[in-house]
Amino acid sequence: PPPPPPAAPPAEPGRPARPVAGDATGWSMEERLYNQVWGMFEDLARTTAAYRSAVDFADSRMEKELDQVLSDPRNRIGGQGDAAREAARARHGELVSQAREVLDRDVAQLVAEAEVVEPALPAAFARWDNPVWHAYRVPMEIPMALRLGDLHLPEADRIRIPMLIRLPLERGLWIDSGRSASLDGSFADSHEMRRLGLETAVAHAARLLAVYPPGEFTVHVIDPAGSGAQALAPLVHSGVLAAPPAQGAAGATEVLSRLTERVDLVQMALRGGAPDALPPGLDTSHQLLIVNDFPHGFDDRAVNQLRYLADEGPAVGVHLMMVADREESSGFGPLLDPLWRSLLRLTPVAEDHLADPWVGHAWTYEPPLVPPGSQVLQQVLAQVAAARRSWDR
């Protein structure tokens, strides 16, 4: 049986019980924390849905009462109509205030829970500014999930819910570098969005490298025009890449052909019931392909190979991460529509484009960027590279 969860301290009379990190169900502390985060996610989604429903009810009730007042000609003149309208608005304000009070109470409880859960998260679940990264050691087991950013709703801006995705990845990732409006209404130009998009991809790739055991995760990069050299520097200089970033159409073709062949070979071995019957020297670790500046350097054949990797790769350990502006690839027409649909769209700036599976709220997604001036990413990658060199000996 799983070990019992931590015991919650006794609550003071008239106050809710103080939250405890890891008090959800699970066979390990990691699984309990994962389930607890998802429970917080669901609780916030449902309490916000209840608040929005109450506000909608108050709005419709006030509108109906005002219509009834205006439908009586005697109320259109004199003080009787004004008094009825003021009474309707007062009832509306009271209903909204009651709903807001309930929401604030629930959010305060979730904030208190987040304050104890966030510091207890393991590295795979933690933000880059979490002290757990300063005690980082290369793991010997693959974690059950990975943090890809934070989620929040406008009614509860005080709390951020970790966005946890199960490992291994079931879908590729698309870092949308297209023109996008930030939450403050400002716009970043295309050059800035491409830079931010690739920095976000590097942060995701570094986190994936950090949470896999040595030799279990390999990263390839296609940067046809070499425009991402500055953003890719942490991966290149630390030595964690399988090879230098591929440049030009020939470089892109070579990497895509190699990964496509790997997918074919593993699929044939699995279909034949002999997963160990693979050619000697074949890298059996999970593979991640980062594609920058798409569709530059991609012809029709390369695009088809990319689609094949997106569709068939995750089942056999080959994953795709694209940094691309969809509008720039419009020349391929509907050929790429299935590709974009197959990838999980993320953004390099905060944007409300993700929906929850319960009530379908539009959640604001914030990417997991490294704090300005922090060297944590370089320090983590240095340990990953050292562990990889020891493993290869």
Side-chain angles (χ1 to χ4, degrees), residues 230-249:
Q230 183 176 357
L232 291 168
L235 298 178
V236 174
H237 295 164
S238 62
V240 295
L241 293 179
Q247 297 186 358

Side-chain angles (χ1 to χ4, degrees), residues 256-284 308-309 312-313 315-318:
L256 288 171
S257 298
R258 182 153 35 91
L259 290 176
T260 301
E261 181 183 9
R262 182 193 181 281
V263 172
D264 288 339
L265 290 173
V266 176
Q267 281 186 336
M268 286 190 292
L270 292 175
R271 290 194 197 104
D276 297 329
L278 294 169
L282 181 72
D283 186 359
T284 56
Y308 178 74
L309 291 178
E312 305 295 335
V316 291
V318 177

Side-chain angles (χ1 to χ4, degrees), residues 34-87:
Y34 173 84
N35 290 333
Q36 188 171 10
V37 168
W38 268 91
M40 294 165 59
F41 187 21
E42 182 176 2
D43 288 346
L44 183 56
R46 297 196 186 281
T47 192
T48 304
Y51 169 75
R52 291 180 179 179
S53 178
V55 171
D56 289 342
F57 170 76
D59 291 343
S60 62
R61 175 175 169 174
M62 183 180 68
E63 184 178 352
K64 182 179 179 180
E65 290 177 349
L66 291 176
D67 287 343
Q68 289 176 347
V69 171
L70 293 175
S71 65
D72 189 345
R74 293 171 298 179
N75 293 331
R76 295 176 187 172
I77 57 174
Q80 187 173 357
D82 293 339
R85 284 189 286 269
E86 287 300 323

Side-chain angles (χ1 to χ4, degrees), residues 28-368:
S28 65
M29 177 58 79
E30 180 188 42
E31 186 177 0
R32 290 200 295 266
L33 287 169
Y34 173 84
N35 290 333
Q36 188 171 10
V37 168
W38 268 91
M40 294 165 59
F41 187 21
E42 182 176 2
D43 288 346
L44 183 56
R46 297 196 186 281
T47 192
T48 304
Y51 169 75
R52 291 180 179 179
S53 178
V55 171
D56 289 342
F57 170 76
D59 291 343
S60 62
R61 175 175 169 174
M62 183 180 68
E63 184 178 352
K64 182 179 179 180
E65 290 177 349
L66 291 176
D67 287 343
Q68 289 176 347
V69 171
L70 293 175
S71 65
D72 189 345
R74 293 171 298 179
N75 293 331
R76 295 176 187 172
I77 57 174
Q80 187 173 357
D82 293 339
R85 284 189 286 269
E86 287 300 323
R89 294 189 181 98
R91 285 190 290 271
H92 173 271
E94 183 179 356
L95 288 174
V96 172
S97 296
Q98 291 174 354
R100 186 74 216 191
E101 185 179 346
V102 173
L103 175 66
D104 290 342
R105 182 198 64 205
D106 292 344
V107 169
Q109 184 69 13
L110 287 171
V111 168
E113 188 172 5
E115 288 174 351
V116 298
V117 168
E118 190 71 45
L121 295 177
F125 298 179
R127 289 195 300 253
W128 283 113
D129 60 358
N130 192 310
V132 72
W133 286 107
H134 297 287
Y136 168 77
R137 294 293 182 269
V138 178
M140 291 294 106
E141 294 182 354
I142 301 174
M144 66 182 300
L146 183 79
R147 187 175 190 153
L148 290 182
D150 291 335
L151 299 169
H152 69 93
L153 292 170
E155 292 90 348
D157 198 50
R158 291 187 295 158
I159 184 172
R160 299 294 190 271
I161 303 294
M163 179 181 173
L164 302 182
I165 300 296
R166 293 296 295 261
L167 291 179
L169 297 174
E170 297 179 357
R171 302 171 62 188
L173 304 177
W174 167 29
I175 314 299
D176 189 354
S177 60
R179 186 178 176 87
S180 175
S182 62
L183 291 180
D184 59 7
S186 61
F187 283 85
D189 60 29
S190 58
H191 177 75
E192 179 71 4
M193 286 298 293
R194 282 196 291 268
R195 181 187 66 81
L196 291 173
L198 190 53
E199 286 182 357
T200 303
V202 168
H204 287 315
R207 184 176 287 262
L208 281 162
L209 283 162
V211 303
Y212 271 80
E216 291 293 321
F217 200 81
T218 304
V219 177
H220 311 268
V221 177
I222 294 178
D223 185 23
S227 60
Q230 183 176 357
L232 291 168
L235 298 178
V236 174
H237 295 164
S238 62
V240 295
L241 293 179
Q247 297 186 358
T253 299
E254 191 275 331
V255 172
L256 288 171
S257 298
R258 182 153 35 91
L259 290 176
T260 301
E261 181 183 9
R262 182 193 181 281
V263 172
D264 288 339
L265 290 173
V266 176
Q267 281 186 336
M268 286 190 292
L270 292 175
R271 290 194 197 104
D276 297 329
L278 294 169
L282 181 72
D283 186 359
T284 56
S285 66
H286 283 259
Q287 312 281 310
L288 174 69
L289 173 60
I290 301 175
V291 178
N292 183 42
D293 208 15
F294 179 83
H296 184 85
F298 280 75
D299 55 19
D300 290 343
R301 182 173 182 272
V303 167
N304 286 327
Q305 289 177 317
L306 201 63
R307 284 187 53 190
Y308 178 74
L309 291 178
D311 293 338
E312 305 295 335
V316 291
V318 177
H319 312 286
L320 185 62
M321 185 187 299
M322 293 185 60
V323 182
D325 179 358
R326 184 172 182 175
E327 291 185 4
E328 293 183 356
S329 61
S330 58
F332 288 96
L335 175 67
L336 287 180
D337 288 349
L339 172 65
W340 303 121
R341 288 195 297 268
S342 69
L343 303 175
L344 174 61
R345 177 178 176 259
L346 303 176
T347 53
V349 296
E351 185 179 290
D352 54 346
H353 67 278
L354 290 176
D356 63 75
W358 301 288
V359 291
H361 291 317
W363 291 74
T364 296
Y365 166 79
E366 295 179 352

